[in-house]
Amino acid sequence: MARIAVIGANGTIGSAIVAEAAARGHEVTAVVRDPDRYRGEAASVERGDVLDPADVARVAAGRDVLVSAVGGGDGPGHLALIEPAARSLVEGLRSLDQRGDGAPRLIAVGGAGSLETAPGVRVWDIPGLPEPILQIMHAHGEALAYYRTVTDIRWTVLSPAAEIGPGERTGHYRTGLEQLLTDTAGRSFISVPDYAVALVDEIEQPEHIGERFTCCAL
């Protein structure tokens, strides 16, 4: 059993991660802006601000894993949140190490925009993408670029397929690193429940510390 804190536990992806981890018997704490509005399946709930490194350190203390599932809503919201949140998360975890308390592992929900569709070509290079979508993609890309400069914190970023949305929990998926994955029909899709399965599998069997990986339906 791992002690897991999930920041952004009220969101679609965050709540799925909480549910999957709790169903497997992990001790899960939901970290949200307004605990009074939380109706999920976490064992405990705490108020937390992902942009406050001291708050990050507080909710991360004593945990084995800190999951960041924060989202900024629209494009400008993502630009204002995702990369700054990455810096705040790392700073907060570093402060635990400096105090001698030990930092938990960090797993962040990423984006698909920076995945390659061909050598040197990324999803965000597809012509005609709306500007708000590009902003969301580049916000996650900037956060990933920052994480890749970090060597003293155990981090992982999990990028979904090009499409992530409602669907069944099959418990089956493919993983890769830098290339966009597709299923047997040529579609790049992962259901939210199966994305949560992939993330909790990574918690239980770490294979991607210090790197980004991606998942897709079979």
Side-chain angles (χ1 to χ4, degrees):
M1 182 184 72
R3 295 164 296 177
I4 304 167
V6 180
I7 302 178
N10 258 340
T12 300
I13 296 176
S15 60
I17 293 167
V18 169
E20 179 68 26
R24 299 196 201 185
H26 297 293
E27 180 185 309
V28 188
T29 297
V31 182
V32 295
R33 286 176 292 183
D34 184 359
D36 291 336
R37 297 176 59 189
Y38 182 73
R39 298 293 182 270
E41 302 175 40
S44 61
V45 186
E46 293 187 21
R47 177 179 285 105
D49 181 357
V50 73
L51 296 179
D52 182 347
D55 232 17
V56 170
R58 178 183 59 79
V59 301
R63 317 291 181 195
D64 301 304
V65 180
L66 178 65
V67 176
S68 174
V70 297
D74 58 9
H78 275 77
L79 288 173
L81 177 64
I82 301 301
E83 195 266 358
R87 293 181 179 274
S88 177
L89 288 160
V90 170
E91 183 179 342
L93 295 180
R94 280 175 174 158
S95 72
L96 290 178
D97 269 344
Q98 291 165 359
R99 296 200 318 239
D101 295 330
R105 182 183 177 198
L106 171 64
I107 303 182
V109 173
S114 59
L115 293 167
E116 291 186 341
T117 58
V121 181
R122 303 184 187 276
V123 173
W124 61 40
D125 296 322
I126 296 172
L129 289 172
E131 183 61 26
I133 299 299
L134 285 171
Q135 290 174 333
I136 292 172
M137 289 179 174
H138 284 286
H140 283 289
E142 290 167 6
L144 177 60
Y146 169 69
Y147 282 127
R148 284 175 165 160
T149 71
V150 175
T151 59
D152 56 334
I153 297 296
R154 295 170 297 152
W155 63 268
T156 299
V157 172
L158 175 54
S159 289
E163 298 178 63
I164 179 169
E168 65 175 319
R169 181 196 185 281
T170 69
H172 303 291
Y173 56 89
R174 295 171 55 211
T175 63
L177 295 177
E178 295 305 309
Q179 284 71 46
L180 183 74
L181 300 175
T182 59
D183 62 19
T184 55
R187 184 185 182 192
S188 181
F189 174 79
I190 188 78
S191 71
V192 171
D194 277 343
Y195 177 92
V197 170
L199 191 144
V200 178
D201 283 350
E202 176 66 20
I203 289 175
E204 294 180 346
Q205 300 178 23
E207 295 183 4
H208 300 285
I209 294 176
E211 65 182 14
R212 181 262 295 274
F213 76 109
T214 184
C215 59
C216 179
L218 296 177

